[in-house]
């Protein structure tokens, strides 16, 4: 298709020109206008116009464009001048339009693999140990069955994948699907195991620690993850100490030989780092740093690095061998039908509808259960996300007997939080299809910073009507000042509500929002769960589910609105306020980041680990300290944008005959807030993980030598400045697509999406 490019001189900006053109999707049905200002001479602009026209007409990618430039005499001498302009005007934009958010990608894959029609989807948020999994266990048919660890999570956090449990009425069926982790994440986890073991072995050798079995000291460092999120023994097999009475058993010889081989390779590797002639008073961290430098240089001709790669290959081979063995056993199971299985996903359902709970659990525990007896026979280290369909516990006896629902049990939310900046991995939590979020808190440890962080974040992302408060283990709450002559439960409710009210007031600045949330503590949207471990008491869990489902059913009735003026947007906003709001958010973000990296800097290994994860598209590092720059920026932006979105300048929507069954305008604005926040979540992920930023994180991770820590910390701040530039660069039009432009575009496109959601074209 012939595409015109409009080029305008900018008198107010000497030497600048504005390029204005349209790009089309492959089917030419979707189009997007691009307008960019660049500083360029007239002669170079003439060449760029001709080249850009050719690129657009022929839909060349970047590599093809470079080849074309080199072949054409009129362009060949100007490659280094023309390509930066093309990147700025076109190719960088193309990258952003083809970006698929990691969370959206894995959800799309799961929905394609395991489609399921549900009336409601809920999400449980809370730190480990507050009872999220206990509630799900009570809802399931597994509750009360001895020996079954369901729903397959525990407070030790030895697994970090989210799981969605789908309950469909009147069906006795078990079906589940797994999307496995990306290879880059598995590689990172394996490499960190190797490096922990090597560092410990270096320490042993230099400190001349004499022990009959150094392997018994080194290998536990190999498999022990400081954050307790990954135990590689489940993928490889158990480690039998040389002092164990079972060491000589024939059945253990194969796995013993494997670990001995791994240790021998580690010894050879360390010998290349510390030759015998260098054994002296030099501290271990010198050689540990030398080892890290060799890894970062990735020189395959280096013997140390070759051994490092060999260790990784041996471990990958063992995992692959164990995985294939497990799947072979599954394939031979006559009670199931494996529909899909490859390196990325797995889907399975039982053929017999009368299958017993124990049979299903014995099958699925290889993906889920964390017991030493499963070392070498489990797959959950490889799981990225899990979805299970199973019957509802018949003892629940819900009022909404015909309604299907699911519960997303999140792992790793707000486990280590100071009450500010949101919580870790919030940018990987999609709430676009969630009908209700229950903030779960233990009655005995309520109102801490973790709940405050979750509450502040949620109130900025979703409609307040979707937020519920749940206090678990209510019957276990005891206080010395409860009056035994008065109703104890009423005193407990008053006490918990007052604590939660104070938490709300501490974290929610907007008084109207705080008041709305406080009212939820007394209007039926707060649940005090008793008898969670009692096999005869289901009343409080039943009440919780009934209320959440009722609220969802009522909120689905949104098709009766119309626009007063069909030519105007559903809501009108003053977009001139966005730069000031952005400035407020960015100043808060940068202040937080400066305090983290300059005022109270983390250990240099923590900062190094963060950049390594960012280079692998992992948004945070959790260890002695939690560093979460992606989540911090996202939270800063949505926190200042939420009040702005909640109060449009003009409202161009009404309901026919003032239908009382329709939700309020505030609820519709809440839907808009959710749409905007989801677009921004994806945009922030892109800003941190687009190719050029991945390279930045990689280069920061690979720094080594004296002064590296300060350089890396400053590098993090500098890269954050590129991602979220100050407002001056926007006002001076120094950046082709400032984050403010992205925010404005997100809001405008969200308004169009909202009109489609409300089906306004028919009204």
């Amino acid at each position: 298709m012939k595409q015109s490019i409009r080029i305008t001189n900018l008198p107010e900006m000497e030497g600048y020109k504005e390029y204005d053109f349209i790009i089309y999707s492959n089917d030419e049905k979707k189009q997007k206008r691009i307008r960019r200002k660049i500083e360029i001479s007239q002669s170079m602009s003439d060449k760029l116009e001709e080249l850009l026209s050719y690129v657009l007409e022929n839909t060349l990618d970047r590599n093809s464009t470079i080849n074309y430039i080199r072949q054409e005499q009129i362009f060949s001498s100007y490659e280094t001048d023309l390509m930066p302009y093309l990147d700025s005007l076109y190719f960088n934009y193309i990258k952003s339009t083809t970006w698929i958010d990691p969370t959206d990608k894995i959800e799309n894959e799961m929905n394609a693999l395991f489609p399921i029609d549900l009336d409601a989807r809920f999400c449980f948020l809370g730190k480990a140990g507050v009872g999220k999994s206990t509630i799900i266990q009570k809802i399931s048919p597994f509750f009360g069955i001895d020996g079954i660890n369901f729903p397959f999570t525990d407070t030790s956090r030895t697994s970090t994948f989210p799981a969605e449990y789908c309950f469909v009425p009147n069906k006795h069926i078990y079906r589940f699907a797994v999307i496995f982790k990306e290879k880059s994440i598995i590689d990172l986890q394996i490499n960190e195991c190797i490096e922990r073991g090597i560092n410990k072995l270096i320490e042993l050798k230099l400190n001349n620690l004499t022990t009959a079995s150094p392997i018994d000291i080194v290998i536990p460092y190999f498999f022990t993850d400081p954050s307790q999120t990954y135990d590689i023994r489940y993928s490889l097999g158990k480690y039998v100490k040389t002092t164990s009475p079972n060491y000589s058993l024939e059945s253990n010889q194969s796995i013993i030989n494997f670990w001995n081989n791994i240790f021998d390779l580690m010894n050879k590797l360390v010998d290349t780092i510390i030759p015998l002639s260098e054994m002296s008073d030099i501290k271990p961290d010198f050689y540990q740093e030398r080892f890290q430098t060799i890894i970062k240089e990735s020189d395959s001709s280096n013997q140390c690095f070759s051994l490092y790669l060999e260790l990784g290959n041996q471990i990958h081979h063992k995992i692959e061998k164990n995985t294939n063995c497990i799947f072979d056993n599954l394939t031979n199971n006559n009670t199931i039908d494996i529909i899909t299985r490859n390196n990325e996903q797995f889907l399975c359902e039982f053929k017999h509808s009368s299958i017993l709970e124990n049979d299903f659990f014995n099958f699925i525990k290889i993906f889920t259960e964390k017991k030493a007896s499963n070392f070498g026979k489990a797959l959950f280290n490889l799981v990225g996300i899990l979805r299970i369909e199973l019957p509802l516990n018949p003892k629940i006896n819900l009022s909404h007997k015909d309604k299907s629902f699911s519960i997303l049990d999140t792992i790793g939310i707000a486990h280590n939080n100071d009450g500010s900046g949101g919580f870790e991995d919030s940018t990987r939590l999609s709430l676009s299809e969630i009908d209700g979020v229950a903030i779960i808190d233990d009655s005995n440890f309520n109102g801490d910073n973790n709940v405050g962080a979750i509450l502040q974040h949620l109130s900025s992302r979703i409609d307040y009507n979707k937020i519920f408060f749940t206090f678990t283990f209510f019957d276990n709450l005891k206080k010395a000042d409860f009056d035994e002559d008065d109703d104890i439960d009423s005193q407990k409710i008053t006490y918990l509500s007052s604590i939660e009210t104070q938490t709300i007031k501490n974290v929610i600045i907007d008084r109207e929002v705080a008041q709305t949330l406080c009212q939820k503590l007394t209007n039926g949207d707060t649940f005090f769960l008793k008898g969670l471990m009692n096999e005869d008491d289901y009343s409080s869990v039943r009440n919780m589910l009934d209320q959440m489902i009722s609220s969802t059913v009522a909120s689905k009735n949104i098709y009766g609105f119309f626009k007063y003026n069909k030519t105007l947007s559903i809501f009108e906003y003053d977009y001139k306020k966005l730069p000031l709001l952005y400035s407020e958010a960015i100043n808060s973000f940068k202040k937080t980041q400066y305090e983290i990296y300059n005022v109270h800097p983390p250990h240099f290994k923590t900062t190094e680990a963060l950049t390594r994860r960012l280079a692998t598209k992992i948004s945070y590092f959790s260890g002695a300290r939690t560093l979460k720059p992606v989540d911090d920026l996202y939270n800063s932006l949505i926190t200042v944008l939420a009040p702005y979105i909640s109060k449009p300048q003009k409202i161009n929507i009404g309901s026919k005959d003032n239908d009382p069954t329709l939700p309020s305008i505030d609820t519709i604005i809440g839907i808009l807030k959710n749409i905007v926040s989801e677009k921004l979540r994806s945009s922030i992920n892109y800003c941190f993980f687009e190719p050029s930023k991945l390279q930045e994180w990689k280069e920061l991770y690979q720094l080594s030598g004296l002064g590296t820590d300060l350089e890396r910390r400053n590098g993090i701040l500098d890269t954050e400045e590129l991602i979220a530039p100050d407002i001056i660069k926007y006002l001076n039009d120094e950046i082709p697509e400032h984050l403010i432009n992205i925010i404005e575009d997100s809001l405008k496109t969200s308004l169009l999406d909202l009109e489609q959601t409300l089906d306004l074209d028919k009204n």
Side-chain angles (χ1 to χ4, degrees), residues 67-184:
N67 290 334
Y68 174 73
I69 290 173
R70 292 172 181 175
Q71 293 169 3
E72 295 296 317
Q73 188 174 356
I74 60 171
F75 299 131
S76 59
S77 301
Y78 301 98
E79 177 185 341
T80 56
D81 297 309
L82 289 169
M83 283 309 300
Y85 289 127
L86 281 175
D87 284 336
S88 176
L89 287 173
Y90 181 62
F91 289 117
N92 287 347
Y93 179 79
I94 291 299
K95 288 180 186 176
S96 67
T97 57
T98 57
W99 160 262
I100 300 177
D101 180 79
T103 303
D104 296 340
K105 178 178 180 291
I106 200 169
E107 284 194 354
N108 292 339
E109 290 175 355
M110 179 60 81
N111 289 333
L113 177 67
F114 186 160
I116 186 167
D117 186 22
L118 297 167
D119 294 299
R121 291 185 71 212
F122 304 123
C123 175
F124 285 179
L125 287 180
K127 64 180 182 180
V130 296
K132 303 188 303 294
S133 302
T134 305
I135 299 172
I136 296 173
Q137 182 183 46
K138 187 123 187 178
I139 297 169
S140 79
F142 296 106
F143 183 68
I145 300 178
D146 292 337
I148 291 187
N149 173 29
F150 182 89
F152 322 124
T153 58
D154 61 25
T155 56
S156 68
R157 301 185 67 205
T158 52
S159 181
T160 55
F161 59 82
E164 185 177 19
Y165 302 92
C166 307
F167 300 93
V168 180
N170 305 317
K171 284 179 69 178
H172 190 91
I173 188 171
Y174 291 94
R175 194 164 56 122
F176 79 99
V178 169
I179 303 291
F180 294 111
K181 292 177 182 175
E182 293 184 7
K183 182 179 182 299
S184 60

Side-chain angles (χ1 to χ4, degrees), residues 194-261:
I194 295 171
E195 290 157 31
R196 284 196 302 270
I198 294 295
N199 286 333
K200 187 60 181 179
L201 187 53
I202 290 172
E203 180 185 320
L204 278 182
K205 290 203 172 191
L206 285 175
N207 290 334
N208 295 315
L209 296 178
T210 56
T211 173
S213 303
I215 188 174
D216 288 341
I217 297 176
V218 172
I219 295 302
Y221 273 82
F222 178 97
F223 63 68
T224 302
D225 176 12
S227 62
Q228 297 188 1
T229 60
Y230 182 77
D231 190 334
I232 200 170
R233 289 177 296 176
Y234 287 103
S235 298
L236 297 178
K238 63 182 177 179
Y239 173 70
V240 184
K241 286 191 173 184
T242 58
T243 55
S244 168
N246 296 326
Y247 190 80
S248 59
L249 292 179
E250 181 64 29
S251 58
N252 287 331
Q253 291 313 297
S254 176
I255 192 63
I256 288 172
N257 290 338
F258 168 77
W259 285 114
N260 285 341
N261 183 50

